[in-house]
Amino acid sequence: MTQPSVRTQVAPDTGARTETPALEPLLFELHREGRSGRHIRDEASDPVPPDFARQAPLGLPELSELQVVRHFTHLSQLNYAVDTGFYPLGSCTMKYNPKVNDRAASLPGFADLHPLQPDETIQGALRLMCELQEMLAGITGFAAVSLQPAAGAHAEFTAILMFKAYHHARGDTGRRRVIVPDSAHGTNPASAAMCGFDVTTVRSDARGNIDIAALEDTLGDDVVGLMLTNPNTLGLFEERVREVCAAVHKVGGLVYGDGANLNALMGLARPGDLGLDCVHINLHKTFSTPHGAGGPGAGPLCVTAPLEPYLPSPRVRRNDDGTFGRSLDHPDSVGRVRSFLGSFGVLVRAYTYMRSLGEEGLAEASRDAILAANYLLSRVRSTYQLAYERTCMHEFVLTAAKQKKQGASALDIAKALIDEGFHPPTVYFPLIVAEALMIEPTETEPKETLDAFADALLRIARRIETEPGTVRDAPLRAPLRRLDEVGAARRPVLRYRR
Ligand SMILES: *Cc1c(COP(=O)(O)O)cnc(C)c1O
């Protein structure tokens, strides 16, 4: 019998995964007629009434139980995760998620609640949500918070709906345009368009900030608002953020803060103090709840007092008598955007993370994230070109334009990193940087990992100088070589056909 196996190991000090995982045969290919997983032979009292019993076999592969267990265990070992190796995927904040967060979320008092239970029986859960709202309001500098949105993009959509409601409440119904910088995450223009608005793109200047002159040229009384990411997707702090906000406010517009990059700001700067009108937080990035592969996230929305009436309903609140409750009496609310009160398991994890680090610990996490990114940058910046010559925040964007001329692109470098045992960084984003490599190491990686990753990037650059063809051939040590990534997403093959 062939015994497929995956021999993946993690080098203890470097965060790199070594050795080549083998490709799994499909269960159908392991099938042997008559083989069975059933080892309980007592059929004396058959519990299935004959009317309900299946008449023809199901056509499933016939395997022993052990084979099935090994098959799925090996498949699980093909996964690449923060828990198995370094994951510098820029813009995604793939930091380590402490296990205590999961432990707290699994406590029966949280995990076994039913969302339709009356308020008086879920006081602990409501209190947790209320305190989380207060902590998030504190760290962002805003007056009110909704925990309902399920992700960053969902919070963007919710906020633009709120902007619309805010303007309409003033009889100001002629505003049609949302302004988005050209460095923005694709969800920003998509959210504005989904709310029925036109999108105006504004270019970035030579330092990677939004170009203020270009912004002022396009501002007018038809502007709903601006969507601003700070630090932006280049990993750079918007140097003139206060001026930008003032210019938008001057024409009656509002400023949306895309706070997906809050990992660089916790305890160091508050979006509410910088002039923004709201900000969303990706709990699944900054506040350390596991994410990726479409699992549940949470994108709480924090707003100023003038926007509070439009927040989604129901809201969670602290009553005057010290109890906690859900309130539905919000006539100006944009309504409900999520079933029940949000992704509760994610909220418990984020709460646990914040309470276990404390205010000083969160500030230290941001400082360490900035330090890790700048250290890694300092090791590679004489070999790869930096898109904008500035000190970075928690991530940085290189351009492999030089390497491309030598014969290997950003994509080739990403694939070569797989052979080096690392998850590749984000490539070809932001769109304004040619051959972009967007690297976010996060604060949780030890220096040994940062050094090993820098060494790998430098080795690849040397290979490109002398034998770029070998880099174009990568990966050689992955279970599959180059995939049709667009086809895999758009036309997935989900059925086994012999
Ligand atoms: C991740 C991210 C988003 C979208 O967040 P989701 O939770 O994936 O919807 C938006 N903007 C930026 C800058 C991001 O990094």
Side-chain angles (χ1 to χ4, degrees):
M1 187 182 75
T2 57
Q3 199 45 261
S5 70
V6 177
R7 294 161 299 272
T8 306
Q9 291 179 354
V10 179
D13 289 325
T14 65
R17 277 172 64 148
T18 59
E19 303 201 24
T20 310
L23 186 61
E24 274 308 286
L26 295 162
L27 273 184
F28 285 95
E29 292 161 358
L30 296 174
H31 160 91
R32 294 287 178 278
E33 190 109 2
R35 200 173 266 161
S36 147
R38 205 159 36 118
H39 50 257
I40 301 163
R41 296 276 173 217
D42 180 13
E43 292 172 29
S45 50
D46 194 340
V48 183
D51 278 1
F52 295 104
R54 185 178 295 283
Q55 301 304 315
L58 250 184
L60 293 175
E62 295 176 44
L63 299 158
S64 72
E65 181 172 324
L66 174 60
Q67 283 182 296
V68 176
V69 168
R70 285 200 181 136
H71 177 78
F72 286 107
T73 305
H74 292 152
L75 275 186
S76 77
Q77 289 169 337
L78 287 178
N79 272 342
Y80 194 101
V82 182
D83 285 358
T84 62
F86 184 45
Y87 210 134
L89 197 62
S91 203
C92 294
T93 312
M94 305 303 284
K95 63 168 82 173
Y96 169 67
N97 306 299
K99 300 301 167 224
V100 66
N101 301 348
D102 296 318
R103 184 86 183 265
S106 314
L107 291 172
F110 292 135
D112 295 346
L113 294 180
H114 192 284
L116 293 177
Q117 276 179 236
D119 285 358
E120 57 275 20
T121 68
I122 54 164
Q123 284 297 300
L126 291 171
R127 176 177 168 189
L128 179 142
M129 284 186 273
C130 211
E131 289 182 2
L132 179 60
Q133 288 176 177
E134 289 159 3
M135 291 193 293
L136 295 176
I139 206 157
T140 57
F142 284 106
V145 179
S146 168
L147 301 174
Q148 268 191 37
H154 194 197
E156 294 167 24
F157 176 73
T158 305
I160 302 297
L161 284 183
M162 290 172 60
F163 282 13
K164 190 175 185 175
Y166 170 91
H167 290 308
H168 282 213
R170 279 158 186 67
D172 192 351
T173 54
R175 294 179 185 264
R176 303 237 39 84
R177 283 192 301 135
V178 173
I179 300 179
V180 177
D182 60 3
S183 60
H185 197 271
T187 51
N188 289 190
S191 301
M194 278 184 72
C195 292
F197 294 124
D198 300 327
V199 176
T200 303
T201 306
V202 170
R203 67 170 176 264
S204 303
D205 66 17
R207 287 184 59 75
N209 296 312
I210 186 169
D211 188 311
I212 295 208
L215 173 68
E216 280 176 341
D217 277 350
T218 193
L219 282 174
D221 61 8
D222 62 337
V223 168
V224 177
L226 165 75
M227 299 180 84
L228 192 73
T229 310
N230 189 30
N232 63 26
T233 65
L234 297 161
L236 301 174
F237 194 89
E238 276 291 338
E239 291 168 305
R240 296 164 74 184
V241 55
R242 284 209 173 88
E243 271 174 82
V244 169
C245 294
V248 176
H249 290 151
K250 205 166 149 203
V251 298
L254 296 165
V255 182
Y256 178 80
D258 178 331
N261 293 337
L262 198 74
N263 209 47
L265 297 186
M266 291 185 293
L268 307 182
R270 305 194 310 167
D273 297 337
L274 301 175
L276 292 90
D277 297 292
C278 65
V279 76
H280 89 249
I281 302 168
N282 283 42
L283 294 187
H284 43 291
K285 293 178 181 170
T286 311
F287 294 106
S288 192
T289 84
H291 68 292
L301 185 60
C302 314
V303 304
T304 53
L307 283 173
E308 178 168 2
Y310 310 101
L311 277 176
S313 173
R315 298 186 50 195
V316 179
R317 68 157 177 233
R318 200 183 274 274
N319 297 321
D320 291 341
D321 63 1
T323 62
F324 300 86
R326 283 173 269 201
S327 60
L328 281 154
D329 181 25
H330 304 288
D332 296 326
S333 163
V334 295
R336 180 190 279 288
V337 297
R338 174 74 161 75
S339 54
F340 305 108
L341 296 172
S343 305
F344 183 64
V346 175
L347 305 180
V348 178
R349 286 174 177 84
Y351 177 91
T352 309
Y353 179 72
M354 293 183 82
R355 289 298 299 268
S356 50
L357 264 69
E359 265 180 61
E360 190 40 46
L362 292 172
E364 195 179 320
S366 278
R367 282 195 293 266
D368 286 349
I370 296 169
L371 184 62
N374 278 285
Y375 174 71
L376 186 53
L377 174 57
S378 76
R379 291 237 20 224
V380 299
R381 72 189 292 173
S382 58
T383 303
Y384 291 87
Q385 288 166 299
L386 186 57
Y388 294 86
E389 283 291 339
R390 281 175 56 185
T391 302
C392 69
M393 297 293 283
H394 65 308
E395 63 189 340
F396 57 91
V397 180
L398 301 173
T399 165
K402 184 172 94 186
Q403 283 74 19
K404 170 93 175 169
K405 283 203 199 87
Q406 293 169 341
S409 65
L411 182 71
D412 298 325
I413 294 166
K415 299 296 184 191
L417 279 167
I418 296 175
D419 281 344
E420 293 275 358
F422 292 110
H423 193 288
T426 298
V427 290
Y428 300 106
F429 180 77
L431 304 175
I432 56 173
V433 176
E435 297 298 321
L437 292 164
M438 184 192 210
I439 299 171
E440 179 178 9
T442 84
E443 70 279 10
T444 55
E445 294 297 334
K447 181 171 175 292
E448 289 86 341
T449 302
L450 304 178
D451 281 326
F453 184 72
D455 292 343
L457 273 176
L458 299 178
R459 261 194 305 275
I460 293 167
R462 277 198 301 276
R463 271 169 63 203
I464 295 174
E465 285 168 14
T466 54
E467 38 178 3
T470 65
V471 176
R472 286 198 303 271
D473 278 346
L476 298 173
R477 297 175 46 211
L480 291 169
R481 303 282 299 279
R482 299 263 174 140
L483 309 174
D484 174 359
E485 285 163 17
V486 176
R490 297 269 159 83
R491 287 176 279 108
V493 179
L494 301 174
R495 276 187 62 190
Y496 177 79
R497 285 207 185 85
R498 220 182 276 270

